[in-house]
Amino acid sequence: MAACGLAAVVGLSAPASAADGALDAARAAASYRALEAYLAVPDGSGLYHERYPVQPGDNVYSYEWPYSQVRGAALDLTGMPGALGARYGDDLAARDTGQERYWLESGGTTGKPGYASYPVAPYGGGGDFFYDDNEWVGLFDVQRYLASGDRAALGRARQIFDLVVSGWDTDPSHADPGGVFWTQATWSHDRNTVSNMPGAELGLRLYQITGQRSYLDWSRRMVDWTNAHLLGPDGLYWDHVDLAGTVEKTYWSYNQGVPVGVDVLLYQATHDRAYLAAAQRTASAAYDHYVTGGRLADQPPYFNAIFFKNLLLLESVTGGHTYRDAMRAYADSVWTAQRDPATGLFRFDADGGTQAIQQAAMVQIYAVLAWSPSRYELLY
């Protein structure tokens, strides 16, 4: 049965029980232990392998995008109730330290500092800045600030937003001018849903925290551009548009989830119920496409983690648990079908290996399912 508007979102199935939460927390803990046992690099760097088993020719460390999701897993673990979450405080502090192995103060091509795609010296040679990679870090920083009042995390989130704004396309000769580029790398000039909508989400969170109007204005600008050029007629978002105006129309689950969260935050910022209605429409269309349509298993788990978290943010406003129930059903299915009981690692790839980002995504999913629903308002 497809979700269709608020009436369908609220009250279709039973809420989570205490037993469900305990099981989710146990699964989160077991999945995290496996991540640490098989993918953490034992050299004192605090960094991780890209995958297990390591293959000849692999980099010593993972790229920034997987590492950020490992850090996000530790952050989500700290959000579990009481002592369950408190035991991961030291792990989160260590992941914070590891995150800074990617920070490049000297800046990228726009002169703004940010996180490079690979660790910087002495751990590696750095790499190009990807705006979406930086946005995920900024959103985790905001989550950390909202949960604990960490001012350093908030400051870093503000720096990241400055970097994102510097990535705006200012050339009016381009097809569909405007939008935040995906990366500073010279081999790509795409402007993506994933480089604009998470940027808007970060800006809206910063507006909520600081009241600084420029955050709201920039967020609206990113949203308006994305809606104008990457929103398909069926209510789902395409992937990107290049400088010639060619649109890549692949649907990814995270590209549907983040716009839901953005519209929820726009509703909270402006009290305009049209934004809440837009969030519900996108969530309904995405539910139909992925859940009712049976396509979730075709999406990477790290896309689905972002997808579901944003749907939970919507339910923190509307009430109900249809989307949480779909998240739990997905989590149960993965635990049964994709997990190796001998190692605790999830195997999604044809070669039987495990990527750090996949394992981290499942830790996030189980940890957030163990949260009290009152915490869903912290999610992105």
Side-chain angles (χ1 to χ4, degrees):
M1 180 176 179
C4 183
L6 180 57
V9 172
V10 177
L12 282 183
S13 52
S17 66
D20 287 333
L23 178 60
D24 295 326
R27 288 176 170 179
S31 302
Y32 183 71
R33 287 195 299 271
L35 174 67
E36 293 297 289
Y38 293 98
L39 288 148
V41 181
D43 65 355
S45 66
L47 299 174
Y48 287 73
H49 294 300
E50 191 84 10
R51 58 180 172 169
Y52 177 85
V54 176
Q55 300 296 314
D58 282 358
N59 291 324
V60 177
Y61 304 117
S62 78
Y63 287 103
E64 196 283 326
W65 158 228
Y67 185 87
S68 72
Q69 300 308 300
V70 171
R71 177 180 177 242
L75 177 62
D76 287 344
L77 286 165
T78 65
M80 296 193 302
L84 291 173
R87 70 183 63 171
Y88 294 102
D90 290 344
D91 292 78
L92 178 55
R95 300 297 82 75
D96 288 344
T97 298
Q99 184 69 71
E100 295 311 295
R101 311 293 192 210
Y102 298 84
W103 182 256
L104 192 60
E105 187 65 38
S106 59
T109 62
T110 64
K112 299 291 185 180
Y115 290 101
S117 59
Y118 196 70
V120 301
Y123 302 98
D128 295 307
F129 284 11
F130 286 75
Y131 291 105
D132 60 330
D133 289 3
N134 278 271
E135 288 159 358
W136 304 127
V137 180
L139 286 164
F140 283 133
D141 284 335
V142 166
Q143 180 180 320
R144 179 150 199 194
Y145 170 77
L146 292 173
S148 67
D150 188 320
R151 302 293 300 183
L154 177 60
R156 184 66 92 213
R158 298 183 75 159
Q159 285 182 288
I160 290 171
F161 191 77
D162 289 343
L163 171 69
V164 172
V165 168
S166 79
W168 185 263
D169 174 22
T170 59
D171 189 338
S173 71
H174 291 160
D176 305 325
V180 176
F181 287 107
W182 178 44
T183 176
Q184 294 181 356
T186 57
W187 46 261
S188 174
H189 296 97
D190 298 334
R191 294 148 296 163
N192 294 49
T193 296
V194 77
S195 52
N196 283 275
M197 283 301 199
E201 196 161 30
L202 176 58
L204 288 164
R205 283 299 197 188
L206 292 172
Y207 174 69
Q208 287 181 324
I209 294 166
T210 69
Q212 185 175 319
R213 180 76 188 197
S214 62
Y215 289 128
L216 177 60
D217 293 342
W218 264 111
S219 296
R220 280 175 154 163
R221 194 174 183 184
M222 294 172 194
V223 171
D224 290 346
W225 181 89
T226 309
N227 286 343
H229 302 294
L230 291 171
L231 177 58
D234 54 1
L236 298 177
Y237 286 82
W238 296 319
D239 188 66
H240 69 263
V241 60
D242 66 19
L243 295 186
T246 303
V247 176
E248 164 50 54
K249 295 185 176 181
T250 301
Y251 289 144
W252 297 110
S253 57
Y254 71 161
N255 279 342
Q256 319 314 320
V258 177
V260 172
V262 165
D263 279 323
V264 170
L265 296 179
L266 278 168
Y267 163 67
Q268 292 176 327
T270 67
H271 308 293
D272 184 343
R273 295 191 67 85
Y275 288 121
L276 183 59
Q280 292 172 284
R281 284 196 304 271
T282 304
S284 176
Y287 185 100
D288 286 347
H289 185 79
Y290 291 108
V291 180
T292 306
R295 297 182 177 92
L296 273 176
D298 298 331
Q299 297 290 297
Y302 40 94
F303 287 4
N304 288 339
I306 294 167
F307 171 68
F308 278 121
K309 286 181 180 183
N310 279 280
L311 296 184
L312 294 188
L313 178 61
L314 174 60
E315 285 188 331
S316 76
V317 174
T318 62
H321 37 75
T322 295
Y323 300 139
R324 183 187 63 202
D325 293 344
M327 183 179 182
R328 176 165 284 110
Y330 171 75
D332 288 345
S333 174
V334 170
W335 185 269
T336 300
Q338 312 294 149
R339 181 177 179 270
D340 176 3
T343 62
L345 295 173
F346 296 95
R347 303 191 182 278
F348 296 90
D349 297 338
D351 65 4
T354 296
Q355 296 180 33
I357 195 172
Q358 296 168 338
Q359 192 75 17
M362 294 312 303
V363 175
Q364 291 177 32
I365 286 172
Y366 294 119
V368 168
L369 283 170
W371 284 15
S372 165
S374 64
R375 289 183 60 88
Y376 293 166
E377 65 182 8
L378 305 181
L379 291 169
Y380 69 89

